[in-house]
Amino acid sequence: MTLEALIFDVDGTLADTEKDGHRVAFNKAFADAGLDWEWSVALYGELLTVTGGKERIRYFLQRHHPDFRPQEPLEDFLKRLHLAKNAHYAEMLARGEIALRPGVRRLIDEARAAGLRLAIATTTSPENVEALLTHAMTEDAMDWFEVIAAGDVVPAKKPAPDIYHLALEQLGLGPGHCLALEDSRNGILSAQGAGLGTVITTNDYTRDHDFTGALLVVDQMGEPGKPFQVLAGDAHGKSYLDLELLRKLHGGH
Ligand code: XBP
Ligand code: MG
């Protein structure tokens, strides 16, 4: 089966958005709202087991502030706080504070030049995807991705396969013609649930996750002269992730 499309996760895969992006933005939104909550790097690692910003705040309240009662219905409170967080996140991106991970731009340029189709399957909102792509990739990067499956458009977020099912449906392709690029346990469960072969680039939060069944697990995509570290799988003698390696991984799966 030919490889026709690459489907990218966003947070943690395209950029290290969690520790220095979303986490910091959540804390700013809490401070703005007069809440004395502070999500440390370690606590945020625990909270990341829950995908989705609103869902993450709800989980935090259940576990750490079970007696907290907002002055408005909980759903409205979560929505408002989450919007405030995303406003801070967008501002951070506009200030150029978050860059793409090594090798991402190179791989995407190579895939585009080779005529591969590109898609996104993420838990975060379409607005956050747009902010990241336009500020960290390039101004018209939204046009590079034929399909952007994002946010609350599906009933269940990752690790459910819904968002990948939606991306495949919109691409009009079966999973055998695509590969997913992910960074987390919830991400690989979602991609594999939709029948996709998956390549993992880990980050500080996900290095120890269980990536059983991944085609390859590396610590980054790497660049010529900036090799990745292979954590599991066969890198076919390569030191960075390129199309040739992706095609080999795809062919063997
Ligand atoms: C990662 C997530 C998101 C982000 C925060 O999604 O779980 O919740 O942490 O973004 P993915 P939101 O790895 O699938 O891109 O606050 O917009 O949910
Ligand atoms: Mg991710």
Side-chain angles (χ1 to χ4, degrees), residues 45-225:
E46 176 203 321
L47 301 176
L48 276 174
T49 52
V50 176
T51 55
K54 290 187 290 285
E55 294 81 354
R56 192 167 298 143
I57 304 171
R58 188 200 313 272
Y59 171 81
F60 167 73
L61 288 176
Q62 284 162 356
R63 278 192 69 127
H64 297 273
H65 296 278
D67 298 329
F68 176 80
R69 296 285 172 273
Q71 284 167 348
E72 61 194 312
L74 182 63
E75 288 310 312
D76 297 347
F77 171 79
L78 292 174
K79 247 187 222 165
R80 205 165 46 78
L81 202 53
H82 188 238
L83 278 176
K85 177 281 252 182
N86 281 341
H88 281 296
Y89 179 70
E91 279 169 25
M92 293 170 74
L93 279 163
R95 286 196 299 266
E97 291 177 18
I98 300 169
L100 295 180
R101 295 191 66 190
V104 169
R105 179 62 193 266
R106 173 188 50 73
L107 180 65
I108 284 175
D109 284 349
E110 191 188 359
R112 275 165 47 80
L116 278 196
R117 299 165 67 192
L118 300 179
I120 275 177
T122 176
T123 296
T124 202
S125 65
E127 294 81 8
N128 285 353
V129 175
E130 181 167 2
L132 181 73
L133 292 185
T134 51
H135 294 296
M137 202 169 282
T138 189
E139 215 165 293
D140 59 353
M142 285 291 278
D143 301 336
W144 294 2
F145 294 84
E146 192 180 325
V147 166
I148 295 185
D152 295 323
V153 290
V154 285
K157 292 186 173 169
K158 299 176 187 179
D162 305 27
I163 200 76
Y164 276 102
H165 280 309
L166 180 68
L168 289 170
E169 189 187 306
Q170 292 185 350
L171 283 167
L173 290 173
H177 290 287
C178 310
L179 283 180
L181 292 104
E182 273 285 356
D183 72 306
S184 70
R185 169 86 178 144
N186 282 328
I188 193 173
L189 286 174
S190 175
Q192 288 179 333
L196 285 152
T198 308
V199 173
I200 300 289
T201 47
T202 63
N203 55 58
D204 286 350
Y205 277 130
T206 67
R207 187 154 302 129
D208 300 325
H209 285 190
D210 176 359
F211 292 117
T212 303
L215 298 174
L216 181 69
V217 183
V218 287
D219 68 335
Q220 56 173 307
M221 292 184 190
E223 295 280 23

